[in-house]
């Protein structure tokens, strides 16, 4: 037994956005949020952890590069897991004194508004929970790493309850519906840019909390209603309702970024073109066929039903052509469908120059973090990363 634990964890993309904290240190949000957890087989973080008496210090490697262990959020997660293990008496006390080695990798761009910190911290905390045999809910601990990470601890559709307590003990995630509940739900992630965002979510939401009046209105009046409605829509598999709320939520979140002082923006001209295309297409179809949502970056996540994927993919390829069409769409496979010329003639958005969208990830709703039992660890027997640079 090597004692190495390896876990893969999913990303999640919110449909009710978390934006604003009531406590910065404990990462307590101003409002509830809801997301779908996306298939680990397409996008995931992978983390190997190991604790041994001969390790000199706690060490972490991210995507093969050694990083400082002084990050407060990382320290909080490790401390909390160990406290929980001590409380639950799940491991010998001596084991808690050993140092840990952590290796973590993402198979998708980091910090480009693609929920990498969510998958990363959910993965780290799930791996540590397994290593220290912690049994209780770990969403609360993942939350200490990055707020949105607490939703990646479960599969399917997940709600993060803001909670009321000042210690954050009721600020946890719960499952609204499992990954099999709405099997037709698909996500297309349109990667517009992979560069690191200028204003991190943490910083952006701090500015908004301090300065945006619209945020106060949203938290009090809009989010509570929308959260109940979207949870109901998920339970009833009501796509139309789900899609409408998803788009309105995204729009309000980005309006709040502009209502902040100083204002900032995450979406670009290309993002706006995608929004326009979605609305025009839905209008031509006479009903909502596809919904967009944008996080703290220019990349779109389109939520749509499986039967609509071939047409929508063909439409995107038509409007946003790629110079390498064979590598344009990754993830799940899909047949292509001929576009109706009548529909195209009604489309107000003209084909754009090539490569405005870098690539598309086709995925679906999936399971929560999974412990790998195939021995495909990211570190060798000595606890050193297999690939480092
Ligand atoms: C726009 O979870 O990255 O993706 O808690 O400060 O780490 P911190 O922020 P983070 O914020 C995510 C914001 C969002 C919306 C969402 O996922 O709900």
């Amino acid at each position: 037994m090597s004692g190495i634990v390896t876990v893969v964890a999913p990303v999640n993309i919110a449909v009710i956005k978390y934006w604003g904290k009531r406590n910065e240190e404990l990462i307590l949000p101003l409002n509830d949020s809801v997301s779908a957890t996306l298939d680990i087989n397409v996008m995931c973080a992978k983390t190997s952890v190991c604790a041994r008496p001969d390790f000199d210090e706690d060490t972490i490697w991210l995507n093969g590069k050694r990083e400082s262990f002084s990050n407060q959020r990382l320290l909080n997660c490790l401390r909390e897991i160990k406290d929980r293990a001590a409380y639950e008496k799940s491991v010998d006390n001596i084991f808690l004194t050993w140092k840990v080695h952590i290796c973590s990798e993402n198979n998708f761009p980091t910090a480009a508004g693609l929920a990498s910190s969510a998958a990363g911290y959910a993965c780290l905390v799930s791996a540590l929970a397994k290593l220290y045999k912690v049994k209780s809910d770990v969403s609360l601990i993942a939350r200490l790493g990055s707020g949105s990470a607490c939703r990646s601890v479960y599969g399917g559709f997940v709600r993060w309850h803001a909670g009321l307590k000042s210690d954050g003990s009721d600020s946890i995630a719960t499952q609204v519906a499992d990954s099999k509940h709405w099997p037709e739900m698909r996500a297309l992630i349109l990667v517009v840019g992979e560069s690191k965002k200028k204003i991190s979510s943490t910083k952006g939401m701090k500015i908004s909390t301090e300065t945006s009046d619209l945020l106060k209105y949203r938290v009090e009046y809009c989010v509570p209603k929308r959260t109940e409605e979207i949870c109901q829509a998920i339970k009833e598999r009501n796509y139309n309702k789900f899609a409408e709320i998803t788009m309105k939520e995204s729009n309000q979140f980005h309006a709040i970024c502009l209502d902040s002082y100083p204002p900032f923006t995450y979406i670009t001209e290309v993002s706006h073109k995608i929004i326009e295309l979605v609305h025009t297409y839905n209008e031509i179809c006479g009903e909502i066929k596809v919904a967009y949502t944008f996080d703290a970056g220019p990349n779109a996540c389109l939520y749509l039903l499986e039967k609509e994927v071939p047409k929508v993919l063909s439409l995107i390829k038509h409007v946003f052509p790629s110079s390498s069409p064979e590598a344009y769409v990754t993830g799940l496979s899909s047949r292509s469908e001929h576009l109706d010329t009548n529909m195209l003639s009604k489309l107000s958005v003209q084909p754009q120059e090539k490569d405005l969208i870098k690539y598309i990830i086709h995925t679906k709703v999936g399971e929560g973090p999974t412990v790998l039992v195939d021995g495909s660890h990211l570190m060798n027997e000595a606890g050193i990363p297999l690939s480092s640079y």
Side-chain angles (χ1 to χ4, degrees):
M1 264 286 284
S2 65
I4 303 170
V5 171
T6 299
V7 169
V8 285
V11 305
N12 72 77
I13 304 283
V15 289
I16 300 288
K17 303 294 185 191
Y18 148 52
W19 198 251
K21 297 185 182 74
R22 62 185 165 92
N23 182 319
E24 291 270 327
E25 218 167 292
L26 294 175
I27 312 194
L28 299 177
L30 287 172
N31 59 266
D32 284 22
S33 53
V34 177
S35 57
T37 294
L38 301 181
D39 192 356
I40 281 175
N41 298 307
V42 178
M43 289 163 88
C44 68
K46 182 174 180 180
T47 303
S48 293
V49 292
C50 181
R52 291 232 304 252
D54 55 326
F55 290 163
D56 295 331
E57 52 182 340
D58 292 327
T59 311
I60 185 163
W61 291 266
L62 294 182
N63 294 315
K65 190 167 164 275
R66 189 170 169 177
E67 302 279 346
S68 151
F69 213 95
S70 60
N71 178 318
Q72 197 53 50
R73 291 176 169 204
L74 174 62
L75 292 168
N76 290 349
C77 289
L78 181 61
R79 187 206 60 233
E80 197 61 31
I81 285 276
K82 285 187 172 184
D83 285 356
R84 209 63 94 70
Y87 179 76
E88 292 179 11
K89 296 190 172 46
S90 55
V91 290
D92 289 342
N93 279 338
I94 185 85
F95 190 70
L96 294 172
T97 65
W98 297 351
K99 301 295 181 196
V100 286
H101 278 193
I102 300 169
C103 277
S104 194
E105 279 178 9
N106 286 333
N107 71 347
F108 57 92
T110 313
L114 276 186
S116 53
S117 65
Y121 272 108
C123 205
L124 169 76
V125 167
S126 303
L128 290 173
K130 177 80 183 166
L131 183 72
Y132 292 100
K133 300 190 171 63
V134 167
K135 291 281 169 294
S136 49
D137 174 84
V138 292
S139 74
L140 191 148
I141 307 177
R143 192 199 77 225
L144 297 173
S146 188
S148 54
C150 74
R151 297 186 310 239
S152 271
V153 163
Y154 298 106
F157 295 86
V158 182
R159 175 173 182 169
W160 173 13
H161 304 261
L164 294 168
K165 294 188 181 161
S166 55
D167 68 355
S169 55
D170 57 351
S171 188
I172 57 165
T174 59
Q175 202 175 49
V176 176
D178 70 20
S179 63
K180 299 193 176 58
H181 169 73
W182 203 349
E184 300 84 10
M185 185 60 80
R186 293 289 178 276
L188 294 175
I189 296 169
L190 314 184
V191 180
V192 172
E194 295 192 63
S195 58
K196 249 186 151 94
K197 53 201 173 202
K198 276 198 220 91
I199 301 186
S200 68
S201 315
T202 309
K203 191 168 169 211
M205 68 175 83
K206 187 167 190 292
I207 301 173
S208 299
T209 305
E210 286 166 358
T211 64
S212 169
D213 290 337
L214 182 52
L215 179 68
K216 293 187 187 78
Y217 177 81
R218 161 183 164 71
V219 166
E220 193 169 343
Y221 299 105
C222 307
V223 176
K225 186 165 179 277
R226 285 178 179 167
T227 303
E228 293 312 320
E229 283 178 0
I230 210 160
C231 287
Q232 193 62 28
I234 292 165
K235 283 182 186 137
E236 292 168 355
R237 298 185 201 91
N238 179 344
Y239 178 75
N240 188 60
K241 193 82 203 151
F242 173 87
E244 185 187 325
I245 296 173
T246 297
M247 291 188 278
K248 287 183 172 171
E249 261 295 297
S250 175
N251 295 339
Q252 190 174 65
F253 157 45
H254 292 281
I256 281 169
C257 297
L258 287 181
D259 187 49
S260 303
Y261 193 80
F264 50 91
T265 182
Y266 293 116
I267 50 178
T268 60
E269 240 177 89
V270 180
S271 316
H272 281 289
K273 270 276 171 260
I274 294 167
I275 293 173
E276 192 187 338
L277 178 63
V278 167
H279 283 288
T280 311
Y281 179 69
N282 286 338
E283 209 175 297
I284 295 169
C285 294
E287 60 179 322
I288 305 180
K289 296 281 191 190
V290 51
Y292 54 79
T293 184
F294 295 82
D295 280 339
N299 306 320
C301 174
L302 305 183
Y303 280 117
L304 70 173
L305 297 178
E306 185 183 12
K307 63 179 173 24
E308 305 300 334
V309 170
K311 252 199 199 125
V312 170
L313 268 181
S314 301
L315 180 69
I316 298 166
K317 287 176 187 167
H318 173 77
V319 177
F320 295 100
S322 166
S323 55
S324 45
E326 59 301 327
Y328 197 24
V329 185
T330 66
L332 307 178
S333 58
S334 159
R335 60 194 169 80
S336 55
E337 196 161 306
H338 197 69
L339 290 172
D340 178 23
T341 42
N342 186 32
M343 189 276 286
L344 283 179
S345 68
K346 290 185 195 151
L347 210 64
S348 61
V349 187
Q350 296 309 311
Q352 306 289 302
E353 64 184 83
K354 281 186 178 164
D355 301 329
L356 291 183
I357 293 176
K358 307 288 175 280
Y359 60 99
I360 301 167
I361 306 170
H362 176 199
T363 184
K364 60 181 172 35
V365 179
E367 309 268 332
T370 306
V371 178
L372 296 184
V373 288
D374 61 358
S376 63
H377 305 305
L378 295 176
M379 55 176 68
N380 63 21
E381 293 292 306
I384 303 301
L386 297 178
S387 59
S388 62
Y389 41 90

